[in-house]
Amino acid sequence: MQIISITKNQACIRLPPNPRLFVDDNTEEFCASVLYSLADSASGLAVLAEARDSSPIATLDLRVDYFQPAKGDRALLAVATCPKLTEEVAFIHCDIFHEGCHELLATANATFMRNTLGGRILANERA
Amino acid sequence: MCTTGNSKHQAAGAANSPDECLAWQGLLERIPYARHLGLQAQTDNGGVLIHLPYREALIGNFKLPALHGGVLAALIELTARTAAQRRDKDHRCPRILDSHINYLRSAAILPTFASAEIIRQGRRTSLVEVMCWQDNRAAPIASGRVQLLLPAVVATNTEAQEQ
């Protein structure tokens, strides 16, 4: 995955085609779960973009609607925006397209918990 | 071990666990992304579950460290897909319509397991709930609800005549 751009409250990342990420040996089509991963990564980056810090975050939930199959011969682009950020929670919307095409392949909505500096991180840092 | 004799007495659709497990594994092996993740079917108390072995490449957060959320999503979606495909009498290959995953605990760098429960399987759609856990089944790390679409069945001659 490559970061294409990070602006005020938006992050865009790109994933080039790779046969290891396909859904079937006989079809050149990305596995849906790959789009899910891409949405998760772009969404997390959008939280950090809007928050302008790098304190740890955690995905609470993420829902993806798959509109149409993602062809395996073209790169994927995920554009995630953060419409609302509070002290504790960030809400994210993410759209996935083929590079150079405006037709939506999938759309995602996510909620992230902010500042998840939990016991395990603190314990690791002390160690 | 289940023998052929035993399986005769079982209800239709409830094939014996080792055979069913092999069938799940066969379906997983046809998915390049499932092979990439190393997903394995295992028998589980009369049913089948899917095991995601741990490897460093699956880490999403090196600070914790924790597995990437997208990897858990893949485990959940592919478990749902395989369960729905096995439940369908024609074993049609479903397409995922949507999935909604809740992350309940951070995923430690351990082997992860997923089991599916089919909420409803119809002629055209299937709704599957998947639970994911690591060392303690009573403390799930993620749960997911996946809606799948089964491809249209080609009408048989009799059905076509009736229409």
Side-chain angles (χ1 to χ4, degrees), chain B residues 65-141:
Chain B
L67 298 185
H68 192 276
V71 171
L72 291 181
L75 173 64
I76 289 174
E77 286 189 342
L78 294 172
T79 303
R81 191 184 123 122
T82 313
Q85 189 168 2
R86 283 303 302 163
R87 174 67 68 87
D88 184 58
K89 71 173 169 40
D90 300 316
H91 303 312
R92 287 173 289 165
C93 181
R95 173 174 293 288
I96 300 173
L97 283 179
D98 65 70
S99 50
H100 189 166
I101 291 166
N102 292 293
Y103 294 93
L104 310 172
R105 293 177 174 83
S106 75
I109 48 169
L110 290 168
T112 311
F113 303 90
S115 72
E117 187 195 341
I118 295 178
I119 305 296
R120 183 184 184 270
Q121 180 118 357
R123 211 163 35 84
R124 299 176 66 192
T125 61
S126 174
L127 178 68
V128 187
E129 275 200 3
V130 181
M131 289 305 268
C132 256
W133 70 95
Q134 294 186 313
D135 47 352
N136 178 6
R137 196 166 183 161
I141 56 163

Side-chain angles (χ1 to χ4, degrees), chain B residues 34-52:
Chain B
R35 293 200 301 265
H36 175 59
L37 294 171
L39 299 187
Q40 296 162 355
Q42 285 186 1
T43 51
D44 166 49
N45 201 16
V48 183
L49 55 78
I50 292 183
H51 166 214
L52 167 74

Side-chain angles (χ1 to χ4, degrees), chain A residues 25 33 60-61 66 120 124, chain B residues 35 64 77 97 100 103 106:
Chain A
D25 282 323
S33 316
L60 274 184
D61 75 308
Y66 301 99
R120 274 176 64 199
N124 281 354
Chain B
R35 293 200 301 265
L64 269 172
E77 286 189 342
L97 283 179
H100 189 166
Y103 294 93
S106 75

